[in-house]
Each structure stands twice: as C-alpha cells, then as structure tokens.
Amino acid sequence: MAKIQTLRGFRDISGEEIEGFRVIEEVSRKYLGLLGFSEIEVPVLEKTELFVRSIGDTTDIVEKEMFTFTDLGGDSVTLRPEATAGVVRYYLQAGLYAKERVSKLFTVGPMFRHEKPQKGRFREFHQIDVEVYGSGDSLIDAEILWMASLMLRDLGVSGYTLEVNSVGCPQCREDFRGKVVSYFEERKDQLCEDCLRRLYRNPLRIFDCKQAHCIEVSRQSPFLFDSLCGSCKEHFDIFLGHLGDFGVEAVVNKRLVRGLDYYTKTVFEFTSGALGAQQAFIAGGRYDNLVEEMGGPKVPGSGFAIGVERLTMLMGNRSSAKEPLYFFAYVGDRARKYLVPVLHSFVTSGMHLKYAYEGKSLKSQMRYADNLKADFVFILGDDEIERGIVTLRNMETKEQWELPLDPVGLPGEAKKLVVR
RNA sequence: GUGGGUGUAGCUCAAUGGUCAGAGCACUAGGCUGUGGACCCAGGGGUUGGGGGUUCGAAUCCCCUCAUCCACCCCA
C-alpha cells in the first residue's frame, strides 16, 4: 500500500521550526499589543469574488495561483492567498468604520497559493498580517515599520535591508503610465519576453526585472517616483522624516513595486540575501482606496505581512533556558506503584517528569533517561523502599542524593537540590 | 507554467550492467542479573519512488510518471 504524503508544497511544521513560529508570534503580539492592535481571526475560505476584487483580476495571484473550487452549494470559493482582503471584509461587515476613528487589527494564520515550490515558497505558508484603517497620515506608515524593526531586533534578526518607495495615487500612475509605455515601446527589441508581456499589463513591473539587459534599458527610463504628484511627493517626504524620527534606517529604491493592485503611495520591503531567491520576508504598504473599492466608505489603510517561514529561516538557533527534566526509573512492581503518585505530584507542581512505560532493566531505563537528556533521575527499587528513601542522581555531575520517599513532597525536595 | 539537479534502511550516504544491495548514525538486546554517554558483539529493519522497456542479467541504460530541491516567473 502506497504511503500517503502531504500535498505538494504543503508541509508539516515541527521541532525547531514550530518553536520558531511560537517565538515570532510571541514577540509580534507583544509589540502589536503595546501599539494598540487587536487580534482577530478571519476565515481561511471566502467567496472567490472577495479576492478577485481586492487583489486585482489581472494579477498573477488571481489569474493562476488561487486554490479555487466550487463547493457543494455551487458557489465559487477560494482558500485565502493573502489576508488583507478578509480583514477588509471583516472591517466592513462589522461596521468598524462607524464605531472607531482608527482601527488597528492583526491576524495570524495560513495562506494558500498554487505556486511551484522552491526555497522560501510553499503552497501553504503563514503570515502575521497587520492592518491599520482610518488614517492617511504617513506617521502610521513609519510607525508600523518602526514596530517591525523592534520585532526583528527582539528576534535577533540582523543583516536585512528595508527598502521604501512610493507608487503614488491612481492619478500619478495614470499620468506616468503613458510616459513609461512610450519609452519602452521605442526600446521593445531590448526587452525580454516577460517584460514585453508586462509592458501593457503592468508596466511598473519592468523595473523589477532581474535580466541584465532589461535593467540596462530601464536605467534611463523615467521613474514613477520622479513624477509623483505634489501631494504624493509630500506624503513620501514626510514619511521619510518620520522614519528618521523613529530611528529606522531605510533606503529609497525607485524600482520597488508591489504585485497587488491595491497599493498606493508608500510601499516597502524588508529583504535579506540569506533567503535565496525569495528575499522579501516582510512587505506591505499603503492602500488608500481599497476599502472604498470593496464597497465601503472612503477610508485609507496601511499595513504589512510577515512571512513567518522566511523569518524563521533568518532566526537561526535560539537557545532558551530550559526547565530541568526529571526522569523516574523504577525497578520491580513495588516501585512501580509509586509511579502514578510521583507523576501526579510533579505535574501539579508544574515540573517536567518522564519515565519508561515498560520497566525493563535499570540499565535500559538509565540509557533511555540519557537519551531523553534528563537532568535528574530518580531511582527507586526494593532497597530504597525498605529504607524509605529514593535516590536522585544528577546526570551531569553524577552526584547522588537520598531523599525521603514521599510522593507528595518529592518535587519540592528535588527542587531544593537544583537550586543549590 | 518553463528549465536544471536529486530520488537506495528511520536519517546521511556507498555500490564498473554481473553472487544474497552495503556502511555510519539511530533503534532493540546482550557483554555489565541496581546506574546513562565510550567500547565490543548480535539483531530487527529495503517492492533501490512507481510503471513500462532493453538485456542472459538493471539500483545502474532508455521512456513515462510521481515526489523533492534549486532557479525563472511571482510574492510574504
């Protein structure tokens, strides 16, 4: 019989990696809480239309990367490829815009994209998604980047770059689009196939191309950044000023663009060369028109998503101070009767005790204790029972003590020796 | 979706087309019948990813397929 395995691009997360996930969530929640963000959970499965409308129907995500299927009721449903759409839907459905001036929300969970897997890219991946609605002030953009950098500092992540740019408002983009298309049309023969495709669909992406000759062609081209309208330019300049106030280092990258249609003005990416080809591990920006486009009031928004798997790859090994592990080795049926009371007593004292289910020889149990990396081992056999004691061995120093055989008092007695 | 690499024991990997596919680690047990790591000995473990073909003979060569890794693309 063939073994059943995970679907392509889907993974089991365990061991050190899941520890990393927990640490990232813990640190993130700490700063999100301090800055007034509320956690919510939104469904993993939503109507397909939600994503088509928010992300944009000509984006790669919507065109070919969504897990979309028809449910038993005949509706087209989709596993969320990103979190913002669902959070916006919640914001509108819950009427938050009428209840509070500014809403700061975050959500944690899995996202799904039907891509070909590679380093740092999976079909199921996890994000911590941060959203702010209700203020167009660039102070918010700087604040969330500052928050992200505090998280990274706490997680011990360094050696990354924060790149920022502005993609302007729809008006800036429309004005600029004509310029850039005509520039590249004159140089069509020098562009790669992918860029020819981008030219009419999403010309800004040409600036993102990695082909040397495309970079060369676009070097002389006009940049959207240089033809921002007055208010977008001002917004960005003030944003840079706020970043400075927060002490956040960033480099302006005029080539930086986003793959989702809803971004306006500020965009940013935290990247690291240690991640392989998928270098961005936190990315986001401002989306001033999304809420309105989704049928709500004209409410600006800003936010980012942390790629949890990618961030885990940057954290390396974290050694955390562990509580000591105790092991109970018993020899004979009389000793075995003490197992349950001792275990009960340790667990209710909040202490970690392991033991072998099958008694076996003391040698075998000691070997097992060593294998489990136990710090201390209790040894109980007929000798000890006769004398009313239990032996406690420090596995590192080989020191041994005799403690009174009292299942209720044992955890406390053992702790005294550890503290000493 | 396109391209390249790799699939052999739980893990890391050997094996010129030619005995019964091996080693290290891990696991189990013994040496040591009440004391772990080192050492020694033994044992359990494999449809060589799957299917088809070539051949007297295939882990090895060919085709298909699946999985996986890396890159393109895309994005967190």
Side-chain angles (χ1 to χ4, degrees), chain A residues 59-121:
Chain A
T59 57
D60 277 33
I61 293 177
V62 168
E63 280 190 340
K64 51 194 186 194
E65 295 175 2
M66 296 206 300
F67 280 91
T68 295
F69 56 94
T70 304
D71 73 4
L72 294 177
D75 294 320
S76 179
V77 296
T78 296
L79 284 167
R80 61 182 183 193
E82 58 104 50
T84 299
V87 178
V88 170
R89 197 224 72 245
Y90 160 78
Y91 177 76
L92 294 174
Q93 192 169 332
L96 289 190
Y97 54 86
K99 294 174 183 158
E100 53 192 26
R101 184 177 301 186
V102 173
S103 299
K104 291 176 138 184
L105 304 167
F106 76 100
T107 189
V108 177
M111 308 295 155
F112 305 86
R113 292 184 197 171
H114 197 280
E115 297 185 274
K116 195 154 173 180
Q118 70 183 71
K119 188 178 173 71
R121 189 170 79 183

Side-chain angles (χ1 to χ4, degrees), chain A residues 56-265:
Chain A
D57 55 9
T58 60
T59 57
D60 277 33
I61 293 177
V62 168
E63 280 190 340
K64 51 194 186 194
E65 295 175 2
M66 296 206 300
F67 280 91
T68 295
F69 56 94
T70 304
D71 73 4
L72 294 177
D75 294 320
S76 179
V77 296
T78 296
L79 284 167
R80 61 182 183 193
E82 58 104 50
T84 299
V87 178
V88 170
R89 197 224 72 245
Y90 160 78
Y91 177 76
L92 294 174
Q93 192 169 332
L96 289 190
Y97 54 86
K99 294 174 183 158
E100 53 192 26
R101 184 177 301 186
V102 173
S103 299
K104 291 176 138 184
L105 304 167
F106 76 100
T107 189
V108 177
M111 308 295 155
F112 305 86
R113 292 184 197 171
H114 197 280
E115 297 185 274
K116 195 154 173 180
Q118 70 183 71
K119 188 178 173 71
R121 189 170 79 183
F122 311 104
R123 289 186 173 179
E124 180 185 34
F125 60 100
H126 296 76
Q127 289 188 343
I128 298 174
D129 180 72
V130 175
E131 310 274 336
V132 181
Y133 304 110
S135 172
D137 196 321
S138 63
L139 179 59
I140 286 289
D141 305 358
E143 182 190 304
I144 60 177
L145 288 177
W146 172 60
M147 178 175 72
S149 65
L150 290 177
M151 292 172 179
L152 294 176
R153 192 192 60 184
D154 253 30
L155 292 168
V157 175
S158 57
Y160 60 83
T161 305
L162 169 59
E163 295 178 315
V164 298
N165 191 22
S166 175
V167 294
C169 58
Q171 190 58 53
C172 303
R173 276 212 285 270
E174 195 48 46
D175 293 348
F176 176 71
R177 195 191 157 95
K179 287 190 209 170
V180 77
V181 170
S182 64
Y183 173 85
F184 284 112
E185 271 182 334
E186 289 168 20
R187 295 160 179 82
K188 258 184 177 174
D189 50 325
Q190 297 169 59
L191 293 175
C192 69
E193 263 181 48
D194 289 320
C195 283
L196 286 175
R197 194 162 42 80
R198 292 170 178 132
L199 183 53
Y200 299 103
R201 253 186 59 181
N202 195 347
L204 289 184
R205 291 219 69 93
I206 294 175
F207 296 113
D208 214 21
C209 186
K210 288 167 189 158
Q211 302 273 340
H213 52 280
C214 293
I215 293 173
E216 195 52 44
V217 175
S218 65
R219 205 182 292 280
Q220 303 299 323
S221 105
F223 281 97
L224 172 56
F225 182 84
D226 296 318
S227 49
L228 293 176
C229 69
S231 72
C232 286
K233 181 84 177 85
E234 188 188 7
H235 190 272
F236 189 70
D237 289 340
I238 295 173
F239 163 67
L240 289 181
H242 286 316
L243 273 186
D245 295 340
F246 280 114
V248 175
E249 280 184 38
V251 298
V252 176
N253 176 1
K254 296 181 183 179
R255 309 183 91 91
L256 183 65
V257 294
R258 305 271 72 221
L260 286 68
D261 282 355
Y262 52 65
Y263 285 104
T264 57
K265 297 181 181 167

Side-chain angles (χ1 to χ4, degrees), chain A residues 60 142 161 203 315 337 401:
Chain A
D60 277 33
T161 305
M315 290 207 309
K337 288 205 183 347
W401 303 276

